[in-house]
Amino acid sequence: MGSFSECGRKPGGGAVRTPPEPDGTAGPVDYHAVFSVLTAPKAVLAPDLTILDANESLLRTIDVPASAVVGRHYLDVFPAQGPDQGAVDRVVLSLERVARTGQIEMIGPHRYDLRGTAGGWVERWWLTTNLPVLDAAGRVTAVVHRAEDVTSVVLAGGVAIPDVGRTTGPADATALSVVDQALLLGSSVDRYADVITRERSASLALQDSVLTPPPRIPGLTIDVRYRPAVPEVHVGGDWYDAFVHPEGETTVVVGDVTGHDVAAAAHMGHLRGVLRSVAFATDAGPAEALDAAERTAEGLGLQALSTVAVARVGIPGPAGRRAVCWASAGHVPPVVRRADGTAHLLTARPSPMLGVGLGGPRAEHAMSLGPGDTLLLYTDGLVERRDRSLRDVLDELPGRVEALGDVAPDQLLDALLAELVPLGSQDDVALVMVHVDGEGTAAGA
């Protein structure tokens, strides 16, 4: 395989330390146990605000067992009460916004009194943070609700709370500073979230404008997916492409421009356009198209580093087989799943990624697809893990694809994302699939 893994990986990934198994290998982290011992009160809620779990700190704070909390709606456990009747409404509105938008929110300080040991009410003030939990498709599956008790600071500091309209206790500069810092932090989180939201929206709009739907070709099912990084807020330069040549052959492409911002998305759009134009206008094969695109990008001053995989699928031949030629510029290897359900990586000597100045000529490789066969191109967000080597995950990839043998071609990419990145990836993911239809199979995606 050579050193393609070094080209395909991005710097900065860290390992997740896990407890060792008896045989010395790394074992899984019991995240429920971790959640249970965290000191600040926390709850995990479904998008409809049903409480799914609560840690020990929360149960101790409100002095109830888990059975009185889990499975109940937030308002059933925390009804509006006390001097600040609107505090719960503000928390609920925040939870609903986070479940709807997927954006973190911090609110407070706000007052919510608790029952004391003598049976009366005890004044308590809170800073709350609501954080979304997203799946591979970017949908909110849960909201983590965290409360920080700041009662002593508020009562000691003489802080004017506009929600209640009163000032408590003598002023204390230190305590006041602490609360001011907390409020400033909340404001900073909101401003940061707004900036990130605008940047992400711009990046996604740019990518949506260039990531066009695949063509519908008789005899082929072509499907594509793009999933932005979850839970990361930046958008990178991953892309896919698929287009038909005048003589009927089909080219499919996936690429990954280095970077995670609007600039990376812009470089992606430029490079995708250059490669598409070169491959279509000159009728160049995959390797020649990569070399020509690199020269063109350099001549136009496009400062973009990118890994790319290109495959060109021919028209049907005897018995419906189609010749395929493919080439890679430092990209992770494609996967082929045969009609009998077996799958394997397309391995080859690595070629340099685009933009490093090493130039061509890059190598081109040949294979073929028969009826029922599937070719899968993807970016490294599908297989990179912080706690595992890329080589190990790639070795397992064919088996994971084989395990989805009962999945219909038009559902394969969604099933693969759900299987490999169920909780989202640390990097964007782009995928393109070409399936050669068998007898009686509908063409198109």
Side-chain angles (χ1 to χ4, degrees):
M1 290 296 296
S3 59
F4 73 85
S5 59
E6 284 78 8
C7 296
R9 298 192 69 177
K10 293 183 175 59
V16 176
R17 297 186 180 274
T18 57
E21 298 287 358
D23 62 359
T25 60
V29 174
D30 186 346
Y31 286 103
H32 186 272
V34 174
F35 174 74
S36 179
V37 301
L38 294 174
T39 55
K42 294 181 178 65
V44 179
L45 291 82
D48 65 358
L49 306 193
T50 299
I51 298 177
L52 304 176
D53 201 358
N55 70 348
E56 292 298 325
S57 178
L58 176 60
L59 299 176
R60 287 194 303 269
T61 298
I62 61 178
D63 194 26
V64 297
S67 59
V69 173
V70 176
R72 301 179 64 189
H73 192 275
Y74 183 87
L75 284 173
D76 293 335
V77 179
F78 300 100
Q81 48 82 9
D84 188 3
Q85 294 283 334
V88 172
D89 291 338
R90 290 192 294 278
V91 172
V92 169
L93 288 174
S94 173
L95 289 168
E96 291 174 342
R97 280 194 302 271
V98 172
R100 184 176 65 252
T101 66
Q103 300 297 319
I104 183 175
E105 288 195 12
M106 177 183 289
I107 57 176
H110 56 83
R111 181 172 177 177
Y112 190 82
D113 295 350
L114 298 178
R115 288 282 186 182
T117 55
W121 292 98
V122 178
E123 182 177 349
R124 303 290 283 271
W125 291 86
W126 308 90
L127 281 174
T128 58
T129 307
N130 300 318
L131 305 99
V133 179
L134 310 178
D135 65 9
R139 296 180 292 262
V140 177
T141 59
V143 178
V144 177
H145 175 63
R146 179 186 187 277
E148 186 73 30
D149 189 343
V150 293
T151 304
S152 60
V153 176
V154 172
L155 296 182
V159 180
I161 307 296
D163 296 333
V164 181
R166 69 182 184 88
T167 301
T168 62
D172 179 272
T174 302
L176 180 61
S177 176
V178 172
V179 174
D180 286 344
Q181 289 296 323
L183 292 172
L184 178 60
L185 175 60
S187 176
S188 298
V189 169
D190 291 340
R191 290 196 301 272
Y192 178 74
D194 289 342
V195 170
I196 292 302
T197 298
R198 289 195 298 271
E199 179 182 293
R200 186 174 183 81
S201 297
S203 300
L204 289 174
L206 178 58
Q207 287 173 312
D208 287 344
S209 70
V210 297
L211 299 184
T212 52
R216 301 178 67 88
I217 303 171
L220 294 178
T221 296
I222 301 179
D223 204 2
V224 295
R225 291 291 186 276
Y226 170 76
R227 291 289 182 268
V230 178
E232 268 67 14
V233 292
H234 296 297
V235 174
D238 291 31
W239 88 88
Y240 61 76
D241 199 4
F243 53 91
V244 182
H245 296 266
E247 65 276 16
E249 295 187 326
T250 302
T251 290
V252 291
V253 183
V254 291
D256 183 0
V257 171
T258 301
H260 293 87
D261 51 20
V262 176
H267 288 317
M268 173 273 292
H270 290 312
L271 190 57
R272 179 183 183 271
V274 168
L275 182 56
R276 167 182 269 238
S277 299
V278 167
F280 185 86
T282 67
D283 201 33
E288 185 182 352
L290 286 171
D291 294 342
E294 184 173 44
R295 292 193 300 270
T296 303
E298 182 179 354
L300 294 175
L302 301 180
Q303 304 296 321
L305 294 173
S306 179
T307 66
V308 189
V310 183
R312 183 160 175 167
V313 182
I315 59 176
R321 296 198 69 81
R322 296 172 182 257
V324 178
C325 54
W326 65 278
S328 171
H331 204 76
V332 285
V335 175
V336 172
R337 187 176 73 177
R338 296 300 181 183
D340 63 4
T342 60
H344 64 276
L345 296 173
L346 293 181
T347 58
R349 291 179 60 84
S351 296
M353 63 191 299
L354 300 185
V356 297
L358 298 180
R362 290 177 172 82
E364 194 163 282
H365 316 283
M367 47 88 67
S368 65
L369 296 173
D373 291 346
T374 302
L375 174 66
L376 174 68
L377 307 182
Y378 55 96
T379 56
D380 55 12
L382 185 70
V383 291
E384 278 196 322
R385 304 290 183 269
R386 288 185 175 178
D387 58 341
R388 301 189 62 195
S389 72
L390 180 61
R391 175 71 273 164
D392 289 344
V393 181
L394 282 173
D395 287 342
E396 296 175 358
L397 182 58
R400 306 292 287 272
V401 174
E402 289 178 1
L404 300 174
D406 295 334
V407 177
D410 61 351
Q411 299 173 3
L412 177 61
L413 297 187
D414 288 331
L416 198 61
L417 285 168
E419 173 72 15
L420 293 179
V421 285
L423 301 179
S425 171
Q426 302 298 325
D427 196 0
D428 298 348
V429 182
L431 307 99
V432 58
M433 178 207 74
V434 180
H435 176 78
V436 180
D437 298 327
E439 185 176 353
T441 303

